[in-house]
C-alpha cells in the first residue's frame, strides 16, 4: 500500500515543497539502486579491461607498449571509449558524488529524525482511535515506549500533531555508520586526490642511491639487503635504506629506514613502501694479468665502473655489459626456470662474446654465483636482488581507515539490527484522539498499532 | 582428479554427506540424528577449505576451491532452525553438488605469495558472502523463515564489505594504495554492488533478484582467477 505524507499537502511555500520532494527523492530506494546499478556496470568494465596505472612515467609507457602488442586494435578502441581508465573517468566520479549525496541524506535522516520524511512507497497506513473513556488504549508516548521506541515531535498544524517514531539511539547510530563510512571514504578519496603525493617507483640495487622525492631532494641509498626464509613462497627481502636530504650543498641529518614487502616504514611525513623486487647480477671482470676491467652496462647509467649491478625487470629480459678495453661483451638473459635444461629455479644464461667477431667464448647457466673464463678475461658473476621502493604522503589514510571500519560496523548494524522507523499523525479532540500510523509491514509496527488501538495483550 | 590425498578424501566425504542429508533427512529417526549429520558434513566442508588453503590456494584464486567454499556457505545455512523441509534439502543438495564439482576441478598451483593473510580473509569472505546470497534465494518461503530473507542477505552484505575492506587493507600494506583499481578490486567491488542492490532497505523479500545477484556473484568469483591471469596486468605480479 502506498503511504501518504503525514504533513499537510499544502506546504507553507513552494521552495519547502520542492525541498521536501527532492529530499524524499534522494532518500528513495529507487535512486540508490540506480546509482548502485550504474556503478556496477562501470566496475565490471574496470574488471574486464586492464586499467592504466595511476602513476605516469616509464612504467606506464612500458605497460602501454606491452598491452598494445597483446591486444592489438582492441586496445586502441578500449582506450578511445575510456574503458582503460574507468576509475578516473568523469561518469564514475559523478556517480560517486551522487552516492555521497544520497548517503549524506540517508545519514541525516537516520541520525536527525526531525529531518526524516516518510517515503511515498513501502509504508502501510494504520488508523487507531482512542475515546475518552477508553482505558485500554495507550497514549502514543506509552505505546511507543512499550516497543522500545522513541517519539520525536515534528510539529503541529491545523489541529494535527506530527511525530517521528525512531529506534534506540544505539541502533540508529550503528546503522547510520554504513552511510558515514561511504561519506568518509569519498572524502578520503577527495583529500587523497588533492593533497596526497606519490613518488615514482624506483629500483635500487645494493649500494645504489636515487632520489625519492624530487621536491625536497630526498635521496635513498640501499645499504643492506637481507634475505629471510628459503624458497620462493616464503622468501622475503628486508631492505635497510639510508636517507639524506641535500640542502644548500650541505648534508642534512641522515636517517635510516627498514622496509620489506607489506611492512612500510615511516620517515618524517613520508611512508616508504617496498612495492616489488627482482634479480640482479653483480659483474666484475679482470684481465689475465689480474688488472680490473672497467665495465659499462649498456641498459643502465652511462658510466663505467669496476663493479656493475645489472637489474632484470622481467623474465627473458636481456642485458648487455661491455668490458672496456678487452673487446668483450657479456650478454645475460634471465629466466624464471628452464625446464629444457633441467633447471626449475630462476636462472641467468650468461654468454661471453667477442665484441668484434661475435664468437661465443664462454657460456654458463647460473643459478647462483659463477665465473666465465675465456683464458684472457675472467668474469665473476654474483646473484643479488634489487628492490622497488616508493615514497608517498598519505594525509587521507586515517580517514580511509575510519571509513572502512565505519562501513563494516554499519553493515553489521543494517543487517542484524535494522533500525525501526515510522511516523505518527495524531488528531486530538478533547479526551479522544485519532492516530494514523505510517510504518513498514513488520511485526513491531503491528504491535504498536494494537497498543495505540487498545488491543494490546 | 588433480587434487590428491587427504583433500580428495575429505572433500568427497563432505559432498556425499551433504547429498545424503538432502536425500535422507526427512527419513532420519530424529532431530538429533539429523543435526549430527549436518554437523559432520559442515565439519568436513570446513576441513576441505582448510586443506585447500594449506596447499596455498585462496577461494577466489582457484575455481575448485571457490566452488567448495560456495558449497560450504550453502551448507552452513542448513543449520538455522528456521530452515527446514524442502529448503534445507535444496541447500544441502546444492552444497554437496558444489563441493564435489570443486574437488573434480584441477587444484592449480599456489598463486599468491604476498599479503596471503589479507587475501585469504578477503577471498573467503567474498565466496562465503556470495554463497550466503545464493542461500537467501533458497530461503524457506513458508513458516518462520518466511518473514523475510534479511538474515542471509544481510550476512552476505557484511561479508561483501569485509571482502573489499580486507583487500584494500592488503593493497595499502603492500602497494601503498588502498584502491589500486586492480582486477581483484574491481571483482570484489562488483560483487559487493550486486549484493547491495538486493539488500537496499532490506529489500530481501523477493527471491528472483536475490537469485540473480547470487548467480552473478558466483560468476564473478569463479571468473576472477582466470580473468586476472588472462589480463596479466603488471601489478598482478605482486598483488593480483
Amino acid at each position: 500500500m502506498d503511504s501518504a505524507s503525514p504533513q499537510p499537502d499544502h506546504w507553507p511555500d513552494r521552495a519547502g515543497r520542492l525541498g521536501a520532494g527532492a529530499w524524499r527523492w534522494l532518500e528513495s530506494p529507487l535512486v540508490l539502486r540506480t546509482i548502485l546499478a550504474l556503478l556496477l556496470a562501470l566496475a565490471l568494465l574496470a574488471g574486464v579491461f586492464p586499467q592504466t596505472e595511476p602513476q605516469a612515467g616509464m612504467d606506464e609507457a612500458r605497460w602501454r607498449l606491452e598491452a598494445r602488442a597483446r591486444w592489438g586494435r582492441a586496445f586502441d578502441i578500449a582506450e578511445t571509449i575510456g574503458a582503460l581508465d574507468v576509475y578516473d573517468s568523469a561518469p564514475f566520479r559523478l556517480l560517486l558524488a551522487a552516492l555521497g549525496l544520497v548517503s549524506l541524506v540517508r545519514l541525516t535522516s537516520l541520525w536527525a529524525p526531525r529531518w526524516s520524511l516518510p517515503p511515498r512507497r513501502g509504508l502501510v497506513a494504520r488508523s487507531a482511535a482512542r475515546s475518552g473513556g477508553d482505558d485500554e488504549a495507550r497514549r502514543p508516548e506509552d505505546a511507543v515506549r512499550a516497543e522500545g521506541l522513541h517519539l520525536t515531535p515534528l510539529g503541529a498544524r491545523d489541529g494535527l500533531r506530527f511525530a517521528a517514531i525512531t529506534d534506540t539511539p544505539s541502533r540508529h547510530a550503528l546503522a547510520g555508520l554504513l552511510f558515514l563510512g561511504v561519506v568518509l571514504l569519498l572524502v578520503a578519496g577527495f583529500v587523497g586526490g588533492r593533497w596526497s603525493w606519490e613518488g615514482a617507483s624506483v629500483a635500487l640495487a645494493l649500494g645504489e642511491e636515487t632520489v625519492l622525492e624530487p621536491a625536497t631532494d630526498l635521496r635513498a641509498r640501499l645499504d643492506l639487503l637481507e634475505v629471510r626464509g628459503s624458497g620462493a613462497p616464503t622468501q622475503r627481502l628486508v631492505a635497510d635504506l639510508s636517507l639524506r636530504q641535500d640542502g644548500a650543498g650541505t648534508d642534512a641529518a641522515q636517517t635510516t629506514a627498514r622496509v620489506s614487502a607489506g611492512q612500510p616504514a615511516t620517515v618524517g611525513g613520508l611512508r616508504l613502501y617496498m612495492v616489488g623486487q627482482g634479480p640482479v647480477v653483480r659483474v666484475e671482470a679482470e684481465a689475465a694479468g689480474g688488472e680490473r676491467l672497467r665495465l659499462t652496462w649498456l641498459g643502465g647509467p652511462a658510466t663505467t665502473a669496476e663493479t656493475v649491478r645489472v637489474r632484470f625487470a622481467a623474465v627473458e629480459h636481456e642485458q648487455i655489459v661491455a668490458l672496456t678495453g678487452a673487446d668483450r661483451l657479456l650478454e645475460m638473459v634471465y629466466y624464471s626456470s628452464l625446464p629444457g635444461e633441467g633447471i626449475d629455479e630462476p636462472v641467468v644464461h650468461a654468454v661471453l662474446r667477442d665484441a668484434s667477431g661475435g664468437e661465443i667464448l664462454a657460456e654458463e647457466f647460473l643459478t647462483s654465483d659463477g665465473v666465465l673464463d675465456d683464458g684472457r678475461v675472467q668474469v665473476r658473476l654474483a646473484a643479488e636482488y634489487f628492490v622497488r621502493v616508493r615514497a608517498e604522503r598519505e594525509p587521507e589514510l586515517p580517514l580511509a581507515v575510519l571509513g572502512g571500519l565505519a562501513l563494516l560496523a554499519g553493515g553489521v548494524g543494517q543487517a542484524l539490527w535494522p533500525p525501526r522507523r515510522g511516523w505518527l499523525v495524531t488528531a486530538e479532540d478533547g479526551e479522544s484522539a485519532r492516530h494514523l500510523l505510517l510504518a513498514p509491514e513488520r511485526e513491531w509496527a503491528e504491535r504498536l498499532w494494537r497498543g495505540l488501538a487498545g488491543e494490546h495483550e | 582428479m588433480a587434487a590428491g590425498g587427504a583433500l580428495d578424501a575429505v572433500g568427497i566425504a563432505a559432498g556425499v554427506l551433504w547429498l545424503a542429508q538432502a536425500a535422507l533427512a526427512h527419513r532420519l529417526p530424529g532431530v538429533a540424528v539429523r543435526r549430527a549429520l549436518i554437523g559432520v558434513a559442515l565439519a568436513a566442508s570446513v576441513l576441505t577449505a582448510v586443506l585447500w588453503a594449506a596447499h596455498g590456494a585462496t577461494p577466489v584464486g582457484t575455481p575448485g576451491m571457490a566452488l567448495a567454499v560456495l558449497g560450504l556457505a550453502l551448507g552452513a545455512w542448513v543449520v538455522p532452525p528456521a530452515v527446514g523441509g524442502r529448503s534445507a534439502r535444496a541447500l544441502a543438495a546444492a552444497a554437496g553438488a558444489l563441493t564435489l564439482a570443486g574437488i573434480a576441478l584441477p587444484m592449480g598451483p599456489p598463486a599468491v605469495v604476498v599479503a596471503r593473510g589479507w587475501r585469504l580473509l578477503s577471498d573467503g569472505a567474498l565466496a562465503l558472502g556470495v554463497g550466503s546470497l545464493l542461500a537467501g534465494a533458497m530461503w524457506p518461503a513458508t513458516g518462520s523463515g518466511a518473514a523475510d530473507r534479511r538474515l542471509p542477505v544481510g550476512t552476505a552484505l557484511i561479508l561483501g564489505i569485509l571482502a573489499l575492506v580486507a583487500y584494500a587493507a592488503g593493497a595499502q600494506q603492500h602497494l601503498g594504495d588502498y584502491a589500486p583499481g586492480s582486477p581483484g578490486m574491481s571483482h570484489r567491488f562488483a560483487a559487493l554492488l550486486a549484493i547491495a542492490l538486493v539488500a537496499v532497505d532490506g529489500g530481501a523479500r523477493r527471491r528472483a533478484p536475490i537469485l540473480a545477484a547470487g548467480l552473478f556473484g558466483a560468476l564473478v568469483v569463479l571468473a576472477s582467477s582466470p580473468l586476472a591471469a588472462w589480463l596479466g596486468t603488471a601489478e598482478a605480479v605482486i598483488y593480483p
Side-chain angles (χ1 to χ4, degrees), chain A residues 39-168:
Chain A
L39 280 173
L40 173 59
L42 291 181
L44 276 178
L45 207 61
V48 171
F49 289 98
Q51 300 298 291
T52 51
E53 297 197 2
Q55 178 194 321
M58 282 305 289
D59 286 345
E60 186 179 342
R62 192 174 66 229
W63 176 84
R64 280 177 184 281
L65 276 174
E66 288 172 0
R68 191 165 275 120
R70 183 189 184 111
W71 291 57
R73 188 163 166 68
F75 181 86
D76 297 323
I77 295 172
E79 192 170 31
T80 306
I81 63 172
L84 301 183
D85 203 9
V86 169
Y87 293 124
D88 257 345
S89 66
F92 187 77
R93 284 166 185 262
L94 209 61
L95 282 171
L96 284 187
L99 182 66
L101 182 63
V102 165
S103 298
L104 209 54
V105 167
R106 284 180 166 247
L107 179 65
T108 309
S109 200
L110 262 178
W111 283 5
R114 287 184 177 280
W115 281 73
S116 69
L117 287 172
R120 291 205 181 277
R121 293 176 189 280
L123 298 183
V124 175
R126 301 173 176 89
S127 62
R130 175 170 63 91
S131 62
D134 191 351
D135 294 334
E136 291 296 313
R138 288 169 168 163
R139 290 190 314 124
E141 292 80 358
D142 297 335
V144 165
R145 199 176 301 121
E147 278 301 315
L149 299 163
H150 292 264
L151 204 62
T152 306
L154 296 176
R157 187 178 168 85
D158 298 337
L160 299 173
R161 284 197 294 124
F162 304 97
I165 299 165
T166 56
D167 214 325
T168 55

Side-chain angles (χ1 to χ4, degrees), chain A residues 215-232:
Chain A
T216 57
D217 199 29
L218 177 71
R219 293 168 174 273
R221 175 189 156 92
L222 179 59
D223 290 333
L224 186 70
L225 205 52
E226 190 182 337
V227 182
R228 290 184 182 171
S230 58

Side-chain angles (χ1 to χ4, degrees), chain B residues 130-184:
Chain B
V130 169
S132 292
L133 203 60
L134 286 171
M138 296 181 180
W139 204 244
T142 55
S144 55
D148 59 23
R149 299 178 175 88
R150 274 175 180 265
L151 193 58
V153 174
T155 306
L157 181 67
I158 296 169
L159 289 169
I161 294 172
L162 180 61
L164 195 63
V165 169
Y167 186 88
Q172 178 61 43
Q173 206 177 347
H174 287 81
L175 297 173
D177 188 354
Y178 62 87
S182 58

Side-chain angles (χ1 to χ4, degrees), chain A residues 29 33 36 39-40 43-44 46-48 50-51 53 70-71 87 106 188 262 273-275 390 392 394 397 400 407-408 411-412 415 418 441-442, chain B residues 113 148 150-151 154 158 161-162 165 172-176 178 181 185-187 189-190 193 196-197 200-201 203 205 216 229-231 233-234 238:
Chain A
R33 283 201 184 98
L36 292 176
L39 280 173
L40 173 59
L44 276 178
V48 171
Q51 300 298 291
E53 297 197 2
R70 183 189 184 111
W71 291 57
Y87 293 124
R106 284 180 166 247
Y273 293 90
M274 185 194 284
V275 294
R390 184 160 62 210
E392 296 185 30
E394 303 169 302
L397 213 50
L407 199 65
L408 207 49
V412 171
E441 199 172 359
R442 301 240 171 247
Chain B
V113 292
D148 59 23
R150 274 175 180 265
L151 193 58
I158 296 169
I161 294 172
L162 180 61
V165 169
Q172 178 61 43
Q173 206 177 347
H174 287 81
L175 297 173
Y178 62 87
M185 194 198 89
S186 296
H187 301 156
F189 191 35
L193 287 168
L197 265 169
V200 168
D201 287 341
R205 287 165 168 261
F216 169 80
W230 180 63
L231 296 170
T233 57
I238 193 162

